[in-house]
Amino acid sequence: MKITQRENGNIIIQDNQNNIKAIMPYMFIFPHPRIGNSILINASGSATDENNSFEVSVEKGVFLNGNKITNIEGLFDSIAKNIQLNGTKNTEPKQNTDPQKDVFDTITDFETMYNFAKAFNSHTFPIIKDSNGKIVKEDYLLQFTTVVLTIQLSYYYFSEAPNKISHISMGGNISNIAFPVKTYQYGANNVLTHTYESYTWQR
């Protein structure tokens, strides 16, 4: 595997036969969650997103800007020193305006942020379900002009009624959200009566 950054900031991923596998404006690199001495390279920002990642074995050697590296520690260190992971190596002036980010910064409630994340999501498969088809997580990637942000939702169900949502917690870049937990209330016959947002989980 070869990783090269061009003068314009683009990060080029090639195999050992010099075939281009990807041209990325930015990238994230993580230790592989299952395979030792290997890494995942992706644009999703998720350390467990194997489906949308390049899997690289460091044992065979990784060429970083032409220099061969054969160990994980050396690779991470060299990337940190030699690659601009956000792709800002170019000499063009940065744009100071970012309308979507400006809107994002004004959002303070759970529902508005959730709808905004769905509208501007860049993940191919943001909804994750378990083997029974229940939603367990939603993972949204927001790629704006000046920044990349993530919004994650984790679903929790009642142990005595495993198909009823107990609450959903929101994580990621949400420091502006006042109440990041959405709690579900049920009435007679297990009919959903209302939801409310809270800062921490209490039942």
Side-chain angles (χ1 to χ4, degrees):
M1 182 69 71
K2 299 180 181 181
I3 305 170
T4 308
Q5 187 163 46
R6 300 287 171 81
E7 285 302 317
N8 63 2
N10 285 339
I11 301 166
I12 313 299
I13 308 295
Q14 296 172 283
D15 62 20
N16 289 332
Q17 286 72 47
N18 295 320
N19 298 310
I20 294 178
K21 296 300 182 181
I23 300 174
M24 307 172 74
Y26 60 88
M27 68 179 181
F28 297 89
I29 300 179
F30 305 98
H32 199 289
R34 297 181 300 101
I35 303 174
N37 209 29
S38 296
I39 62 172
L40 293 182
I41 298 175
N42 63 44
S44 71
S46 172
T48 57
D49 184 11
E50 296 183 51
N51 291 332
N52 297 298
S53 298
F54 291 98
E55 181 181 299
V56 182
S57 172
V58 184
E59 286 182 3
K60 299 177 182 178
V62 176
F63 288 87
L64 186 67
N65 287 338
N67 298 313
K68 187 175 183 179
I69 301 168
T70 56
N71 64 81
I72 283 278
E73 295 80 11
L75 179 61
F76 275 106
D77 183 60
S78 187
I79 287 172
K81 292 177 180 177
N82 299 296
I83 298 287
Q84 296 290 329
L85 295 180
N86 59 3
T88 57
K89 199 174 179 182
N90 59 25
T91 56
E92 298 177 9
K94 287 186 179 180
Q95 291 183 286
N96 294 320
T97 59
D98 197 335
Q100 288 85 9
K101 178 60 165 57
D102 293 342
V103 172
F104 177 92
D105 289 338
T106 66
I107 300 173
T108 58
D109 67 282
F110 187 107
E111 283 298 326
T112 304
M113 180 60 79
Y114 179 49
N115 290 327
F116 184 86
K118 289 193 295 183
F120 289 95
N121 170 57
S122 297
H123 263 177
T124 306
F125 303 106
I127 299 176
I128 301 167
K129 298 181 179 180
D130 66 10
S131 58
N132 297 316
K134 289 192 310 185
I135 297 175
V136 293
K137 188 177 290 186
E138 293 183 58
D139 195 0
Y140 296 101
L141 178 70
L142 312 180
Q143 302 182 60
F144 300 139
T145 304
T146 60
V147 69
V148 177
L149 303 172
T150 59
I151 303 292
Q152 296 94 25
L153 290 93
S154 297
Y155 283 67
Y156 299 88
Y157 295 82
F158 288 101
S159 57
E160 68 274 14
N163 289 320
K164 286 171 51 180
I165 297 173
S166 167
H167 61 287
I168 303 171
S169 65
M170 179 180 286
N173 303 105
I174 58 162
S175 59
N176 45 321
I177 301 300
F179 302 108
V181 178
K182 181 177 179 180
T183 305
Y184 286 68
Q185 291 290 323
Y186 299 84
N189 300 319
N190 290 325
V191 175
L192 178 66
T193 57
H194 69 280
T195 63
Y196 64 94
E197 297 169 18
S198 61
Y199 183 72
T200 58
W201 160 233
Q202 285 184 333
R203 173 70 70 183

